[in-house]
């Protein structure tokens, strides 16, 4: 199954995440199919969340399942979910 989820990067005590499309069997920080954006949970900059909504909508239409956190972030950026 293909999932839309967060992949952690950044140093210790300084988390940053990429919002990625990945096979569910891959490790959290392993290879991914496509990067859809990024998220900084500490909100240090004005652009702490950036998502390519068009590509996210495409992957959702192809059956990709977002995690709860990814769903919340995508919804805040105006991505529509079917159903």
């Amino acid at each position: 199954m293909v999932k839309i989820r967060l992949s952690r990067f950044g140093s210790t005590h300084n988390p940053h995440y990429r919002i990625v499309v990945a096979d569910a069997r891959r490790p959290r920080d392993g290879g991914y199919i496509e990067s859809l954006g990024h998220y900084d949970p500490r909100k240090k900059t004005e652009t702490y969340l950036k998502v390519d909504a068009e590509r996210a909508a495409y992957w959702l239409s192809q059956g990709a399942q977002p995690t709860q956190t990814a769903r919340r972030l995508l919804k805040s950026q105006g991505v529509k979910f079917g159903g």
Side-chain angles (χ1 to χ4, degrees):
M1 172 187 293
V2 175
K3 288 194 160 285
I4 298 175
R5 63 186 183 193
L6 302 182
S7 177
R8 190 181 197 279
F9 69 108
S11 59
T12 306
H13 305 296
N14 184 23
H16 288 74
Y17 296 91
R18 288 186 181 111
I19 302 169
V20 299
V21 178
D23 189 307
R25 296 170 292 191
R26 298 290 257 161
R28 178 192 71 181
D29 299 334
Y32 53 85
I33 299 168
E34 182 176 354
S35 177
L36 300 177
H38 60 82
Y39 171 58
D40 177 7
R42 298 184 332 150
K43 301 178 179 156
K44 291 287 189 179
T45 64
E46 291 181 17
T47 59
Y48 68 90
L49 174 60
K50 183 178 180 191
V51 175
D52 185 346
E54 186 177 309
R55 291 301 294 167
Y58 166 78
W59 280 106
L60 290 167
S61 73
Q62 297 301 307
Q65 297 293 313
T67 61
Q68 285 184 330
T69 305
R71 179 180 287 268
R72 178 178 55 84
L73 294 173
L74 293 173
K75 191 178 279 190
S76 75
Q77 294 296 298
V79 176
K80 301 289 184 203
F81 295 88

